[in-house]
Amino acid sequence: MRIGIIGGAGHVGLPMGIVLADAGFSVTLIDTDEERLRTVEDGELPFSEPGGEPLLESALEADRLDTTADIGATADCDVVFIVIGTPIDEHHNPQMDVLLGVVDEVIDHIEEDTLLVFRSTIYPGTTNIVCDRLEDAGHEVGEDVYVT
Ligand SMILES: NC(=O)c1ccc[n+]([C@@H]2O[C@H](COP(=O)([O-])OP(=O)(O)OC[C@H]3O[C@@H](n4cnc5c(N)ncnc54)[C@H](O)[C@@H]3O)[C@@H](O)[C@H]2O)c1
């Protein structure tokens, strides 16, 4: 089983990816921050995570962890975690554009029987919007794709 993590070089996504790889899953870290991805590929963590580096090194050696900036990699994933934040504006209104843009890109690539997991902090109602977009794209949520 292959797991893709969008935001996979972040403080939540990266440790989660390393632990999942250590548990035996094949993990693809998908992130726009290519510098962080290069650091990870070199076996180093871009931030302090005690105990993380030996697990990262063994995941890389076992070929269970790879990285990419290409969101199209989600096409090869059975489970896709989304772990990017939702910024707020000066009035504390959520700025959903980036997250929903990512969701639309995932929908363009998603294969049948994929599980889409929102692991980041999201605004109430986000999963309903995502389910509507999946249905608009011809999917049947709960039947051919799954969202949590
Ligand atoms: N850090 C925590 O302890 C914590 C705890 C609970 C919840 N959260 C939530 O988890 C989410 C992520 O937090 P974090 O601390 O990991 O943030 P982070 O900034 O460390 O990581 C986010 C990652 O997402 C990447 N990213 C941003 N836009 C992207 C895109 N369009 N495509 C691919 N990658 C993209 C960034 O390059 C970054 O590496 C936030 O919603 C946060 O509120 C964080």
Side-chain angles (χ1 to χ4, degrees), residues 19-122:
V19 166
L20 288 169
D22 185 55
F25 296 101
S26 297
V27 176
T28 299
L29 305 174
I30 303 162
D31 204 290
T32 47
D33 190 331
E34 300 195 45
E35 197 180 325
R36 271 192 185 184
L37 292 181
R38 275 194 297 276
T39 303
V40 172
E41 281 161 16
D42 288 343
E44 290 171 24
L45 293 171
F47 43 79
S48 170
E49 186 65 41
E53 254 171 31
L55 293 182
L56 170 61
E57 278 165 24
S58 60
L60 291 168
E61 275 166 24
D63 212 14
R64 280 201 297 269
L65 192 79
D66 58 30
T67 76
T68 181
D70 178 12
I71 207 163
T74 51
D76 298 324
C77 299
D78 307 287
V79 181
V80 177
F81 284 88
I82 298 185
V83 200
I84 63 170
T86 301
I88 50 171
D89 67 15
E90 68 272 27
H91 306 295
H92 289 207
N93 294 311
Q95 301 297 291
M96 306 278 286
D97 298 6
V98 172
L99 180 70
L100 292 179
V102 166
V103 166
D104 285 340
E105 281 191 81
V106 171
I107 290 173
D108 284 345
H109 296 99
I110 205 166
E111 298 282 330
E112 205 162 295
D113 286 333
T114 304
L115 171 64
L116 190 55
V117 182
F118 287 88
R119 173 62 187 82
S120 52
T121 308
I122 52 172

